[in-house]
Amino acid sequence: MADPPNRPIRTIAIDGPAGAGKSTIGLGLAKHLGFLYFDTGVMYRAVTLAALQRQIAPDDEDAVSQLAENVLIEVLPPRVDDGRQYTVRLDGQDVTWAIRRPDVDAAVSVVSAFPRVRQAMVAQQRRIARDGNLVMVGRDIGTVVMPDADLKIYLDASLEARAWRRYRELESRGTPSSYADVLTSMKQRDELDLSRATSPLRPAPDAFIVDCTHMDADETLARVIALVAEQNAARPGTQAQPAGVAVAPENDR
């Protein structure tokens, strides 16, 4: 799936912890490049929601795994003009906003850690990736789903900054919550994502680390677009920037 080094970048993996802005940046980058945008996290959220709807305990590994292997999850272009980035359907039902509920937030890391759940979802994600010209966003894209992606980005930010962003997102949608609760939930999710046995959250060795703690969405997107342009320019005759380099905000350079 990897392209020769003299061809433009066709596959981009964006990973990072919850609340770092992966969805916003991934979508903006895909629109800029004319690529397909695919947020793999919505698939795990949909499985989690399905379990909650069926009153299956999120920590019941066998039942949740069987559900993941049989449920129908569709990720489609936006079908409603309500600010959504995509339409997610679960067994034909539009669950685009339901998968962002606090109870889904609290349980999705448990569900996504189950090996059979990840195996079922990764198989679908790899099929989509084969066509190229896409920006795929998640927590194990550069390490597991697309280890040979042309460009890998790890988007990071402090826990406090990420919790504040998620709190404001929930508030803007009229979802009752508190910053303290969001902070606690996000800290627990980080711990689960970092420590799970299957596909733990971590940057790929050759990922570019972009810390957006002190950048807003527009500044972060501009930096990522510039990074893609830099790497495309480097491909014809020179090696890309050394692996694992941290990309500082422009005003810190």
Side-chain angles (χ1 to χ4, degrees), residues 19 48 65 67 70 86 105 140 154 234 242:
T48 303
S65 297
L67 179 63
N70 290 282
Y86 36 67
D105 276 348
D140 61 352
Y154 188 88

Side-chain angles (χ1 to χ4, degrees), residues 141-202:
I141 310 306
T143 55
V144 176
V145 181
M146 292 199 304
D148 52 355
D150 295 329
L151 178 62
K152 302 170 190 175
I153 298 169
Y154 188 88
L155 191 62
D156 204 359
S158 70
L159 172 63
E160 292 76 15
R162 292 184 286 114
W164 180 246
R165 292 169 187 171
R166 181 57 54 83
Y167 166 71
R168 287 189 299 175
E169 177 189 349
L170 292 170
E171 190 177 52
S172 70
R173 295 206 307 266
T175 303
S177 187
S178 72
Y179 171 75
D181 289 342
V182 173
L183 181 67
T184 298
S185 176
M186 190 160 287
K187 183 177 180 180
Q188 292 172 343
R189 184 167 184 186
D190 282 355
E191 291 170 352
L192 285 168
D193 286 345
L194 290 165
S195 64
R196 67 184 179 224
T198 302
S199 306
L201 173 65
R202 60 182 174 84

Side-chain angles (χ1 to χ4, degrees), residues 61-91:
E61 182 170 357
D62 287 340
V64 172
S65 297
Q66 183 175 1
L67 179 63
E69 292 165 350
N70 290 282
V71 76
L72 175 61
I73 301 169
E74 299 170 280
V75 182
L76 307 166
R79 299 295 178 88
V80 181
D81 186 15
D82 60 356
R84 66 181 59 194
Q85 300 168 341
Y86 36 67
T87 292
V88 182
R89 293 199 305 202
L90 175 62
D91 287 334

Side-chain angles (χ1 to χ4, degrees), residues 45-58 64 67 90 111:
R45 286 179 169 274
V47 173
T48 303
L49 178 64
L52 294 172
Q53 289 177 336
R54 291 160 175 77
Q55 298 185 333
I56 297 173
V64 172
L67 179 63
L90 175 62
V111 169

